[in-house]
Amino acid sequence: MKGSPQSLEDMLQEHSNLKRQGKFSPFDINYQGVDGTTALLTAAHAGRLDMVECLLLNKAKVDRVDKDGYTPLHVAAEEGHVSVVECLLLNGAEINKQEVDGFTPLHFAAQEGHLEVVKCLLQNEAKIDKKNKNGFTPFDFANEYDHREVAKMLLRHEPLKK
Protein backbone atom coordinates (compact mmCIF):
# COMPACT_ATOMS: atom_id res chain seq x y z
CA MET A 1 0.00 0.00 0.00
CA LYS A 2 1.30 3.41 -0.92
CA GLY A 3 1.11 6.28 1.49
CA SER A 4 0.76 6.55 5.21
CA PRO A 5 -2.07 5.08 7.27
CA GLN A 6 -3.35 8.61 7.76
CA SER A 7 -3.62 9.15 3.99
CA LEU A 8 -5.66 5.96 3.71
CA GLU A 9 -7.89 7.16 6.52
CA ASP A 10 -8.30 10.47 4.68
CA MET A 11 -9.21 8.64 1.46
CA LEU A 12 -11.73 6.50 3.30
CA GLN A 13 -13.27 9.56 4.93
CA GLU A 14 -13.55 11.28 1.54
CA HIS A 15 -15.02 8.07 0.06
CA SER A 16 -17.65 7.98 2.83
CA ASN A 17 -18.48 11.66 2.39
CA LEU A 18 -18.95 11.31 -1.38
CA LYS A 19 -21.11 8.18 -0.99
CA ARG A 20 -23.25 9.89 1.68
CA GLN A 21 -23.83 12.76 -0.74
CA GLY A 22 -24.85 10.31 -3.47
CA LYS A 23 -21.79 11.16 -5.54
CA PHE A 24 -19.36 8.88 -7.35
CA SER A 25 -16.23 7.91 -5.43
CA PRO A 26 -13.20 6.90 -7.51
CA PHE A 27 -11.78 4.93 -4.56
CA ASP A 28 -12.54 1.19 -4.71
CA ILE A 29 -12.25 -0.14 -1.16
CA ASN A 30 -11.96 -3.69 -2.51
CA TYR A 31 -9.35 -3.01 -5.21
CA GLN A 32 -6.99 -5.95 -5.72
CA GLY A 33 -3.42 -5.66 -6.92
CA VAL A 34 -1.91 -8.09 -9.43
CA ASP A 35 -1.35 -10.65 -6.66
CA GLY A 36 -4.88 -10.20 -5.37
CA THR A 37 -3.84 -8.25 -2.28
CA THR A 38 -6.37 -5.80 -0.88
CA ALA A 39 -6.01 -2.98 1.63
CA LEU A 40 -7.84 -5.14 4.19
CA LEU A 41 -5.49 -8.08 3.69
CA THR A 42 -2.48 -5.77 4.05
CA ALA A 43 -3.86 -4.16 7.22
CA ALA A 44 -4.68 -7.59 8.71
CA HIS A 45 -1.17 -8.86 7.93
CA ALA A 46 0.35 -5.84 9.66
CA GLY A 47 -1.89 -6.23 12.71
CA ARG A 48 -3.38 -2.78 12.22
CA LEU A 49 -6.69 -3.18 14.05
CA ASP A 50 -7.48 0.51 13.55
CA MET A 51 -7.16 0.18 9.79
CA VAL A 52 -9.03 -3.13 9.68
CA GLU A 53 -11.94 -1.54 11.55
CA CYS A 54 -11.88 1.52 9.29
CA LEU A 55 -11.85 -0.59 6.11
CA LEU A 56 -14.67 -2.82 7.35
CA LEU A 57 -16.77 0.21 8.29
CA ASN A 58 -16.32 1.36 4.71
CA LYS A 59 -17.60 -1.94 3.28
CA ALA A 60 -14.36 -3.81 2.61
CA LYS A 61 -15.18 -7.44 1.78
CA VAL A 62 -14.04 -9.52 4.74
CA ASP A 63 -13.43 -12.74 2.79
CA ARG A 64 -11.88 -11.42 -0.45
CA VAL A 65 -9.04 -13.80 -1.38
CA ASP A 66 -5.66 -13.16 -2.95
CA LYS A 67 -4.13 -15.29 -5.72
CA ASP A 68 -3.24 -18.04 -3.21
CA GLY A 69 -6.67 -18.10 -1.61
CA TYR A 70 -5.58 -16.25 1.55
CA THR A 71 -8.17 -14.14 3.31
CA PRO A 72 -7.44 -11.42 5.87
CA LEU A 73 -8.30 -14.01 8.56
CA HIS A 74 -5.63 -16.39 7.25
CA VAL A 75 -2.89 -13.77 7.45
CA ALA A 76 -3.99 -12.36 10.82
CA ALA A 77 -4.03 -15.88 12.28
CA GLU A 78 -0.63 -16.70 10.78
CA GLU A 79 0.90 -13.51 12.18
CA GLY A 80 -0.68 -13.95 15.63
CA HIS A 81 -2.80 -10.79 15.62
CA VAL A 82 -5.57 -11.97 17.97
CA SER A 83 -7.41 -8.63 18.13
CA VAL A 84 -7.57 -8.51 14.32
CA VAL A 85 -8.76 -12.14 14.23
CA GLU A 86 -11.54 -11.26 16.69
CA CYS A 87 -12.57 -8.23 14.66
CA LEU A 88 -12.67 -10.16 11.38
CA LEU A 89 -14.76 -12.92 12.98
CA LEU A 90 -17.19 -10.36 14.42
CA ASN A 91 -17.56 -9.02 10.89
CA GLY A 92 -18.46 -12.38 9.39
CA ALA A 93 -15.13 -13.84 8.25
CA GLU A 94 -15.45 -17.47 7.22
CA ILE A 95 -13.55 -19.29 9.95
CA ASN A 96 -12.96 -22.59 8.13
CA LYS A 97 -12.15 -21.23 4.68
CA GLN A 98 -9.30 -23.13 3.05
CA GLU A 99 -6.67 -21.50 0.86
CA VAL A 100 -5.33 -23.22 -2.29
CA ASP A 101 -3.29 -25.78 -0.33
CA GLY A 102 -6.15 -26.52 2.05
CA PHE A 103 -4.88 -24.57 5.06
CA THR A 104 -7.46 -22.93 7.32
CA PRO A 105 -6.69 -20.04 9.67
CA LEU A 106 -6.43 -22.64 12.46
CA HIS A 107 -3.72 -24.52 10.53
CA PHE A 108 -1.64 -21.34 10.31
CA ALA A 109 -2.13 -20.35 13.95
CA ALA A 110 -1.24 -23.87 15.13
CA GLN A 111 1.81 -24.05 12.86
CA GLU A 112 3.13 -20.74 14.19
CA GLY A 113 2.30 -21.55 17.84
CA HIS A 114 -0.09 -18.64 18.39
CA LEU A 115 -1.92 -19.98 21.45
CA GLU A 116 -4.30 -17.03 21.93
CA VAL A 117 -5.29 -17.07 18.26
CA VAL A 118 -5.89 -20.83 18.41
CA LYS A 119 -8.02 -20.32 21.51
CA CYS A 120 -10.04 -17.58 19.81
CA LEU A 121 -10.60 -19.68 16.69
CA LEU A 122 -11.69 -22.70 18.74
CA GLN A 123 -14.11 -20.56 20.76
CA ASN A 124 -15.62 -19.45 17.46
CA GLU A 125 -16.15 -23.02 16.21
CA ALA A 126 -13.12 -23.57 14.00
CA LYS A 127 -13.01 -27.19 12.87
CA ILE A 128 -10.01 -28.96 14.36
CA ASP A 129 -10.30 -31.99 12.10
CA LYS A 130 -9.99 -30.13 8.75
CA LYS A 131 -7.15 -31.52 6.67
CA ASN A 132 -5.03 -29.69 4.16
CA LYS A 133 -4.22 -31.12 0.70
CA ASN A 134 -1.50 -33.32 2.21
CA GLY A 135 -3.85 -34.72 4.85
CA PHE A 136 -2.51 -32.77 7.84
CA THR A 137 -4.66 -31.26 10.59
CA PRO A 138 -3.85 -28.22 12.74
CA PHE A 139 -2.77 -30.62 15.52
CA ASP A 140 -0.27 -32.24 13.17
CA PHE A 141 1.39 -28.86 12.61
CA ALA A 142 1.41 -27.88 16.29
CA ASN A 143 2.99 -31.23 17.09
CA GLU A 144 5.51 -31.09 14.21
CA TYR A 145 6.70 -27.59 15.16
CA ASP A 146 6.84 -28.48 18.87
CA HIS A 147 4.16 -26.04 20.01
CA ARG A 148 3.19 -28.14 23.04
CA GLU A 149 0.60 -25.81 24.57
CA VAL A 150 -1.18 -25.43 21.25
CA ALA A 151 -1.09 -29.19 20.69
CA LYS A 152 -2.54 -29.80 24.19
CA MET A 153 -5.32 -27.29 23.56
CA LEU A 154 -6.20 -28.94 20.26
CA LEU A 155 -6.19 -32.41 21.86
CA ARG A 156 -8.53 -31.26 24.65
CA HIS A 157 -10.96 -29.69 22.18
CA GLU A 158 -13.73 -31.91 20.84
CA PRO A 159 -14.54 -31.69 17.12
CA LEU A 160 -17.99 -30.28 16.45
CA LYS A 161 -20.51 -32.87 15.37
CA LYS A 162 -22.98 -31.47 12.85
Side-chain angles (χ1 to χ4, degrees):
M1 279 174 35
K2 271 189 148 182
S4 69
Q6 187 59 44
S7 66
L8 179 58
E9 288 177 14
D10 292 342
M11 284 176 35
L12 291 171
Q13 185 61 47
E14 181 64 19
H15 170 74
S16 292
N17 291 341
L18 290 170
K19 297 276 279 191
R20 231 185 335 274
Q21 296 169 15
K23 296 179 181 175
F24 172 74
S25 170
F27 181 67
D28 178 3
I29 198 90
N30 293 299
Y31 173 79
Q32 291 184 277
V34 293
D35 62 354
T37 301
T38 63
L40 182 59
L41 193 129
T42 302
H45 185 266
R48 290 292 309 270
L49 180 61
D50 58 336
M51 297 306 296
V52 168
E53 290 172 335
C54 184
L55 289 160
L56 290 169
L57 282 172
N58 283 279
K59 308 290 188 234
K61 293 182 180 174
V62 74
D63 281 325
R64 175 78 44 106
V65 298
D66 70 5
K67 68 177 179 59
D68 296 316
Y70 283 62
T71 65
L73 186 58
H74 283 103
V75 297
E78 184 174 27
E79 295 298 321
H81 302 308
V82 69
S83 59
V84 173
V85 167
E86 290 168 342
C87 177
L88 293 167
L89 291 171
L90 284 171
N91 282 277
E94 189 179 330
I95 197 165
N96 294 303
K97 189 166 185 70
Q98 293 178 286
E99 47 84 72
V100 296
D101 292 319
F103 285 73
T104 65
L106 186 58
H107 280 93
F108 286 122
Q111 180 176 316
E112 298 300 324
H114 298 306
L115 186 63
E116 291 304 311
V117 174
V118 169
K119 183 178 179 181
C120 174
L121 292 168
L122 292 175
Q123 289 171 341
N124 284 278
E125 302 185 3
K127 293 182 181 176
I128 65 169
D129 52 356
K130 276 265 198 203
K131 294 180 180 177
N132 71 3
K133 283 188 174 179
N134 293 323
F136 297 111
T137 66
F139 170 78
D140 295 326
F141 285 104
N143 191 45
E144 175 70 24
Y145 288 92
D146 205 27
H147 300 302
R148 291 185 178 118
E149 292 303 311
V150 171
K152 284 182 202 173
M153 182 178 288
L154 290 166
L155 278 176
R156 287 191 306 259
H157 194 79
E158 293 291 321
L160 294 174
K161 305 291 186 215
K162 287 191 177 182

